[in-house]
Amino acid sequence: AGVGEGAAAVSSVVNFTGYKFVGIPDKAELKKPFRETCTGLGLKGLVLLTDEGINFFLAAATREAADKFLAFLEEDERFRGIPVKWSESSGTPFKRMLVKLKKEIIALGDPSVRPAERTGLRLEPREFKRWLDEGREVVVVDTRNDYEVRLGTFRNAVDLELDNFKEFPEAVRQRVPAPAKDLPVVTFCTGGVRCEKATAIMMDQGFREVYQLEGGILRYFEDCGGDHWDGECFVFDNRVALNPQLEETETVMCYSCREPLTRQDQASPDFVLGVSCSHCKHKGKKRRHHTSAGPAPSWPDSQGPDTSPSKKGRDSADRPSCVEPTEQQTSADVAGQKRGLEHTSRGGAGGSAGSAAAAAARDERASDSRGRTPQPAQDLDDGHSSNATHTSS
């Protein structure tokens, strides 16, 4: 945008993310050169080096700095050809640069699941929409956690009611009926990372035709808008949720239980800013989430998904993190947060970003002027930079 009267020029930060499942047995030796390269280029964010692959979300002051990092990646043949997703933001979403070592990109705990060797077929968003437009018989499976599904999902999608992704294999056995194994199955998540393992798991369980929505929900929004979708999409940053137009919504996070709160939730008498919300009352037991996802899917026979509520408790570690109120929090801080809740939608198209963004956000623990914080992904899925404008994917 041009600089008008009384307006100040805003410099954009270049955010870029990518991942690749590939064995990295020497991850410990790579930590130092990665850290030195990123620091030398003035990058901030997170590079995650794991036994099963690499995942990164980084912010650069210039595109040139970003390109130099990618050139550094290309020096190692294992990291060549990583698809990179780009976005821009008005500010840097992270305060420092981190390089971390982990066992998995997506926490599952099953070393037999190796997306680098075997994963599902990729289905482009426009093709998926065409299937839905035609009313094709297809089983659509939401691989995300319950608090994400509560905000929005595809109509008639199977909700597995996951507390965390480690529950996915058993949830599929319990909630996706056997007749679905002979039908096309399309899995989806925020940006595609979870589905790399989800499709492999379903194939191992005997599902014959398993697809993953390429680029996830956000790519679908970008290509197809909100057709066949109800609600919002939870994202792992300080915007909390986006609508199908990739605009930030009024959803915020509860400081106590770390549940996403819609405007309706914020209007509840149980909601106390910076203290608690109506969901806090359910702490210690899992809730049956009701979404606007439409009627339950129809199955070839009478055997449908088990709709009985789970009794399993939900540990706080399974919820997205946020900054807890501190003793130093002043009444002015709270007033500023409340003004933020009363603010209308800020907009900003959302580009997809790596799960590394989520982990870095957790380490930063930094709130913005509205009292929101970058939120960490449970499965190292797709974060998004604050006020990001998508440029390419």
Side-chain angles (χ1 to χ4, degrees):
V3 180
E5 293 184 39
V10 178
S11 60
S12 294
V13 172
V14 178
N15 306 304
F16 59 108
T17 179
Y19 73 88
K20 184 177 182 179
F21 285 92
V22 60
I24 312 179
D26 56 339
K27 63 181 183 181
E29 289 75 21
L30 293 179
K31 182 175 183 178
K32 183 178 179 180
F34 265 86
R35 184 172 55 212
E36 290 177 345
T37 298
C38 292
T39 302
L41 293 172
L43 306 181
K44 294 184 180 179
L46 176 70
V47 174
L48 191 62
L49 300 172
T50 76
D51 295 341
E52 65 180 5
I54 184 174
N55 192 10
F56 58 87
F57 179 86
L58 297 168
T62 65
R63 178 62 183 258
E64 180 183 7
D67 288 340
K68 286 182 177 179
F69 172 81
L70 297 178
F72 164 76
L73 277 185
E74 293 279 333
E75 292 175 5
D76 190 323
E77 63 179 3
R78 294 172 296 181
F79 305 141
R80 291 174 186 167
I82 297 178
V84 177
K85 300 175 184 178
W86 300 89
S87 66
E88 294 181 356
S89 60
S90 58
T92 304
F94 307 112
K95 288 186 175 180
R96 55 180 173 166
M97 182 65 229
L98 299 170
V99 178
K100 288 195 166 186
L101 306 180
K102 298 285 186 180
K103 290 187 65 176
E104 299 179 87
I105 294 178
I106 306 167
L108 180 64
D110 183 354
S112 69
V113 178
R114 301 185 183 95
E117 300 175 7
R118 183 170 180 258
T119 189
L121 301 169
R122 299 182 186 276
L123 185 64
E124 289 293 325
R126 288 189 177 89
E127 181 68 5
F128 178 50
K129 178 182 179 298
R130 186 174 69 82
W131 287 13
L132 297 178
D133 289 343
E134 294 173 350
R136 184 176 300 195
E137 191 172 25
V138 58
V139 180
V140 182
V141 177
D142 197 329
T143 69
R144 301 171 301 153
N145 295 334
D146 56 2
Y147 60 85
E148 300 171 78
V149 178
R150 178 168 63 83
L151 290 185
T153 189
F154 283 106
R155 295 181 197 124
N156 299 328
V158 178
D159 175 7
L160 298 176
E161 297 192 343
L162 301 177
D163 282 344
N164 58 71
F165 189 70
K166 290 182 179 180
E167 296 180 351
F168 182 83
E170 183 60 28
V172 169
R173 282 188 283 266
Q174 295 293 327
R175 297 190 56 78
V176 182
K181 292 184 176 181
D182 296 321
L183 296 173
V185 174
V186 178
T187 66
F188 68 93
C189 56
T190 312
V193 183
R194 269 172 280 198
C195 292
E196 298 275 3
K197 287 190 175 181
T199 53
I201 291 167
M202 297 191 77
M203 292 162 64
D204 289 342
Q205 292 188 14
F207 291 84
R208 299 183 181 181
E209 188 178 352
V210 187
Y211 299 86
Q212 56 192 78
L213 180 61
E214 181 71 7
I217 299 164
L218 296 184
R219 170 78 181 280
Y220 182 91
F221 282 177
E222 182 182 354
D223 290 355
C224 306
D227 290 352
H228 306 287
W229 178 272
D230 285 323
E232 306 170 359
C233 177
F234 183 90
V235 293
F236 295 97
D237 64 38
N238 65 336
R239 292 170 300 171
V240 184
L242 302 178
N243 62 26
Q245 290 73 48
L246 293 171
E247 299 168 334
E248 180 183 357
T249 72
E250 288 300 301
T251 297
V252 298
M253 300 294 294
C254 175
Y255 272 113
S256 180
C257 71
R258 294 177 283 182
E259 283 281 347
L261 306 176
T262 64
R263 287 293 289 179
Q264 182 178 1
D265 293 325
Q266 297 167 43
S268 167
D270 295 320
F271 175 64
V272 181
L273 183 70
V275 178
S276 62
C277 71
S278 58
H279 298 299
C280 293
K281 292 185 174 182
H282 301 275
K283 188 176 181 179
K285 61 181 179 180
K286 184 175 178 180
R287 298 172 304 289
R288 173 65 174 167
H289 294 315
H290 298 283
T291 70
S292 57
S298 57
W299 301 97
D301 61 16
S302 60
Q303 182 182 12
D306 176 15
T307 58
S308 59
S310 168
K311 302 298 183 183
K312 181 179 178 181
R314 182 175 177 182
D315 187 88
S316 62
D318 295 323
R319 289 190 287 276
S321 180
C322 72
V323 174
E324 298 289 341
T326 67
E327 294 179 1
Q328 290 74 31
Q329 186 180 39
T330 66
S331 59
D333 295 327
V334 175
Q337 294 162 15
K338 189 154 184 80
R339 285 194 298 273
L341 296 179
E342 294 166 352
H343 199 280
T344 56
S345 179
R346 265 75 56 185
S352 58
S355 53
R362 177 172 60 248
D363 290 311
E364 294 309 321
R365 315 292 277 180
S367 61
D368 69 4
S369 60
R370 298 189 301 276
R372 291 179 174 178
T373 64
Q375 306 300 331
Q378 293 298 313
D379 54 12
L380 302 178
D381 201 7
D382 319 277
H384 314 281
S385 60
S386 175
N387 300 324
T389 300
H390 183 68
T391 57
S392 65
S393 62

mmCIF file of all heavy atoms in Angstrom, residues 10-31:
data_model
loop_
_atom_site.group_PDB
_atom_site.id
_atom_site.type_symbol
_atom_site.label_atom_id
_atom_site.label_comp_id
_atom_site.label_asym_id
_atom_site.label_seq_id
_atom_site.Cartn_x
_atom_site.Cartn_y
_atom_site.Cartn_z
ATOM 1 N N VAL A 10 5.275 0.950 6.370
ATOM 2 C CA VAL A 10 5.439 -0.238 7.210
ATOM 3 C C VAL A 10 6.306 -1.242 6.464
ATOM 4 O O VAL A 10 5.981 -1.646 5.346
ATOM 5 C CB VAL A 10 4.074 -0.869 7.555
ATOM 6 C CG1 VAL A 10 4.282 -2.128 8.380
ATOM 7 C CG2 VAL A 10 3.197 0.128 8.298
ATOM 8 N N SER A 11 7.419 -1.615 7.045
ATOM 9 C CA SER A 11 8.293 -2.584 6.407
ATOM 10 C C SER A 11 7.777 -3.989 6.681
ATOM 11 O O SER A 11 7.389 -4.302 7.791
ATOM 12 C CB SER A 11 9.718 -2.432 6.937
ATOM 13 O OG SER A 11 9.748 -2.636 8.337
ATOM 14 N N SER A 12 7.753 -4.813 5.653
ATOM 15 C CA SER A 12 7.244 -6.170 5.778
ATOM 16 C C SER A 12 8.346 -7.128 6.195
ATOM 17 O O SER A 12 9.503 -6.978 5.790
ATOM 18 C CB SER A 12 6.634 -6.627 4.449
ATOM 19 O OG SER A 12 5.490 -5.865 4.135
ATOM 20 N N VAL A 13 7.975 -8.100 6.985
ATOM 21 C CA VAL A 13 8.865 -9.188 7.365
ATOM 22 C C VAL A 13 8.512 -10.386 6.499
ATOM 23 O O VAL A 13 7.333 -10.687 6.273
ATOM 24 C CB VAL A 13 8.706 -9.530 8.858
ATOM 25 C CG1 VAL A 13 9.494 -10.780 9.211
ATOM 26 C CG2 VAL A 13 9.149 -8.354 9.715
ATOM 27 N N VAL A 14 9.517 -11.047 5.985
ATOM 28 C CA VAL A 14 9.309 -12.214 5.131
ATOM 29 C C VAL A 14 9.316 -13.466 6.006
ATOM 30 O O VAL A 14 10.306 -13.773 6.676
ATOM 31 C CB VAL A 14 10.414 -12.321 4.061
ATOM 32 C CG1 VAL A 14 10.208 -13.568 3.210
ATOM 33 C CG2 VAL A 14 10.427 -11.075 3.194
ATOM 34 N N ASN A 15 8.205 -14.178 6.026
ATOM 35 C CA ASN A 15 8.091 -15.416 6.779
ATOM 36 C C ASN A 15 8.074 -16.595 5.810
ATOM 37 O O ASN A 15 7.402 -16.535 4.769
ATOM 38 C CB ASN A 15 6.800 -15.418 7.604
ATOM 39 C CG ASN A 15 6.691 -14.202 8.492
ATOM 40 O OD1 ASN A 15 7.561 -13.930 9.305
ATOM 41 N ND2 ASN A 15 5.620 -13.438 8.327
ATOM 42 N N PHE A 16 8.802 -17.627 6.120
ATOM 43 C CA PHE A 16 8.829 -18.784 5.222
ATOM 44 C C PHE A 16 8.954 -20.071 6.027
ATOM 45 O O PHE A 16 9.552 -20.098 7.099
ATOM 46 C CB PHE A 16 9.957 -18.660 4.191
ATOM 47 C CG PHE A 16 11.343 -18.544 4.762
ATOM 48 C CD1 PHE A 16 12.237 -19.603 4.675
ATOM 49 C CD2 PHE A 16 11.775 -17.373 5.373
ATOM 50 C CE1 PHE A 16 13.530 -19.507 5.175
ATOM 51 C CE2 PHE A 16 13.071 -17.258 5.872
ATOM 52 C CZ PHE A 16 13.950 -18.330 5.775
ATOM 53 N N THR A 17 8.354 -21.108 5.504
ATOM 54 C CA THR A 17 8.273 -22.361 6.227
ATOM 55 C C THR A 17 8.356 -23.542 5.279
ATOM 56 O O THR A 17 8.021 -23.440 4.100
ATOM 57 C CB THR A 17 6.954 -22.456 7.020
ATOM 58 O OG1 THR A 17 6.896 -23.710 7.709
ATOM 59 C CG2 THR A 17 5.748 -22.370 6.110
ATOM 60 N N GLY A 18 8.803 -24.658 5.790
ATOM 61 C CA GLY A 18 8.861 -25.881 5.006
ATOM 62 C C GLY A 18 9.157 -27.076 5.883
ATOM 63 O O GLY A 18 9.583 -26.920 7.034
ATOM 64 N N TYR A 19 8.905 -28.241 5.355
ATOM 65 C CA TYR A 19 9.226 -29.469 6.087
ATOM 66 C C TYR A 19 9.534 -30.579 5.089
ATOM 67 O O TYR A 19 9.131 -30.526 3.919
ATOM 68 C CB TYR A 19 8.072 -29.893 7.006
ATOM 69 C CG TYR A 19 6.862 -30.455 6.290
ATOM 70 C CD1 TYR A 19 6.773 -31.829 5.998
ATOM 71 C CD2 TYR A 19 5.819 -29.645 5.897
ATOM 72 C CE1 TYR A 19 5.676 -32.357 5.341
ATOM 73 C CE2 TYR A 19 4.710 -30.152 5.240
ATOM 74 C CZ TYR A 19 4.638 -31.510 4.967
ATOM 75 O OH TYR A 19 3.550 -32.016 4.293
ATOM 76 N N LYS A 20 10.251 -31.557 5.573
ATOM 77 C CA LYS A 20 10.521 -32.735 4.752
ATOM 78 C C LYS A 20 10.810 -33.913 5.672
ATOM 79 O O LYS A 20 11.591 -33.801 6.618
ATOM 80 C CB LYS A 20 11.718 -32.504 3.825
ATOM 81 C CG LYS A 20 11.992 -33.674 2.879
ATOM 82 C CD LYS A 20 13.136 -33.366 1.929
ATOM 83 C CE LYS A 20 13.373 -34.511 0.948
ATOM 84 N NZ LYS A 20 14.475 -34.200 0.000
ATOM 85 N N PHE A 21 10.169 -35.016 5.392
ATOM 86 C CA PHE A 21 10.445 -36.245 6.128
ATOM 87 C C PHE A 21 11.631 -36.937 5.469
ATOM 88 O O PHE A 21 11.555 -37.411 4.340
ATOM 89 C CB PHE A 21 9.214 -37.155 6.135
ATOM 90 C CG PHE A 21 8.139 -36.698 7.069
ATOM 91 C CD1 PHE A 21 7.120 -35.870 6.615
ATOM 92 C CD2 PHE A 21 8.153 -37.074 8.403
ATOM 93 C CE1 PHE A 21 6.115 -35.438 7.482
ATOM 94 C CE2 PHE A 21 7.159 -36.643 9.268
ATOM 95 C CZ PHE A 21 6.142 -35.823 8.805
ATOM 96 N N VAL A 22 12.732 -36.981 6.187
ATOM 97 C CA VAL A 22 13.960 -37.609 5.707
ATOM 98 C C VAL A 22 14.819 -37.927 6.926
ATOM 99 O O VAL A 22 14.846 -37.163 7.896
ATOM 100 C CB VAL A 22 14.712 -36.684 4.722
ATOM 101 C CG1 VAL A 22 15.102 -35.374 5.389
ATOM 102 C CG2 VAL A 22 15.926 -37.365 4.131
ATOM 103 N N GLY A 23 15.486 -39.042 6.909
ATOM 104 C CA GLY A 23 16.306 -39.418 8.054
ATOM 105 C C GLY A 23 17.450 -38.440 8.303
ATOM 106 O O GLY A 23 18.165 -38.076 7.381
ATOM 107 N N ILE A 24 17.624 -38.039 9.569
ATOM 108 C CA ILE A 24 18.721 -37.142 9.939
ATOM 109 C C ILE A 24 19.438 -37.740 11.158
ATOM 110 O O ILE A 24 19.278 -37.266 12.287
ATOM 111 C CB ILE A 24 18.220 -35.721 10.265
ATOM 112 C CG1 ILE A 24 17.249 -35.216 9.185
ATOM 113 C CG2 ILE A 24 19.393 -34.748 10.396
ATOM 114 C CD1 ILE A 24 16.701 -33.833 9.457
ATOM 115 N N PRO A 25 20.235 -38.800 10.953
ATOM 116 C CA PRO A 25 20.933 -39.414 12.083
ATOM 117 C C PRO A 25 21.996 -38.506 12.691
ATOM 118 O O PRO A 25 22.397 -38.697 13.845
ATOM 119 C CB PRO A 25 21.563 -40.663 11.460
ATOM 120 C CG PRO A 25 21.694 -40.347 9.998
ATOM 121 C CD PRO A 25 20.519 -39.496 9.674
ATOM 122 N N ASP A 26 22.427 -37.500 11.938
ATOM 123 C CA ASP A 26 23.471 -36.587 12.426
ATOM 124 C C ASP A 26 22.886 -35.251 12.878
ATOM 125 O O ASP A 26 23.545 -34.207 12.807
ATOM 126 C CB ASP A 26 24.506 -36.345 11.336
ATOM 127 C CG ASP A 26 23.884 -35.812 10.051
ATOM 128 O OD1 ASP A 26 22.661 -36.003 9.845
ATOM 129 O OD2 ASP A 26 24.617 -35.208 9.245
ATOM 130 N N LYS A 27 21.667 -35.264 13.369
ATOM 131 C CA LYS A 27 20.999 -34.013 13.718
ATOM 132 C C LYS A 27 21.786 -33.204 14.751
ATOM 133 O O LYS A 27 21.810 -31.967 14.691
ATOM 134 C CB LYS A 27 19.587 -34.296 14.241
ATOM 135 C CG LYS A 27 19.537 -35.115 15.523
ATOM 136 C CD LYS A 27 18.117 -35.378 15.984
ATOM 137 C CE LYS A 27 18.100 -36.136 17.302
ATOM 138 N NZ LYS A 27 16.735 -36.427 17.774
ATOM 139 N N ALA A 28 22.436 -33.874 15.697
ATOM 140 C CA ALA A 28 23.187 -33.157 16.738
ATOM 141 C C ALA A 28 24.344 -32.370 16.131
ATOM 142 O O ALA A 28 24.637 -31.236 16.550
ATOM 143 C CB ALA A 28 23.699 -34.129 17.791
ATOM 144 N N GLU A 29 25.010 -32.954 15.120
ATOM 145 C CA GLU A 29 26.124 -32.271 14.488
ATOM 146 C C GLU A 29 25.664 -31.097 13.630
ATOM 147 O O GLU A 29 26.429 -30.162 13.368
ATOM 148 C CB GLU A 29 26.912 -33.248 13.610
ATOM 149 C CG GLU A 29 27.718 -34.271 14.383
ATOM 150 C CD GLU A 29 26.864 -35.383 14.985
ATOM 151 O OE1 GLU A 29 25.730 -35.593 14.485
ATOM 152 O OE2 GLU A 29 27.317 -36.023 15.948
ATOM 153 N N LEU A 30 24.410 -31.127 13.201
ATOM 154 C CA LEU A 30 23.894 -30.063 12.339
ATOM 155 C C LEU A 30 23.429 -28.841 13.127
ATOM 156 O O LEU A 30 23.262 -27.759 12.559
ATOM 157 C CB LEU A 30 22.719 -30.589 11.504
ATOM 158 C CG LEU A 30 23.051 -31.655 10.457
ATOM 159 C CD1 LEU A 30 21.774 -32.086 9.743
ATOM 160 C CD2 LEU A 30 24.077 -31.143 9.465
ATOM 161 N N LYS A 31 23.216 -29.014 14.412
ATOM 162 C CA LYS A 31 22.634 -27.925 15.194
ATOM 163 C C LYS A 31 23.478 -26.660 15.135
ATOM 164 O O LYS A 31 22.962 -25.557 14.901
ATOM 165 C CB LYS A 31 22.448 -28.371 16.641
ATOM 166 C CG LYS A 31 21.792 -27.314 17.518
ATOM 167 C CD LYS A 31 21.504 -27.834 18.915
ATOM 168 C CE LYS A 31 20.781 -26.785 19.751
ATOM 169 N NZ LYS A 31 20.447 -27.301 21.116
#
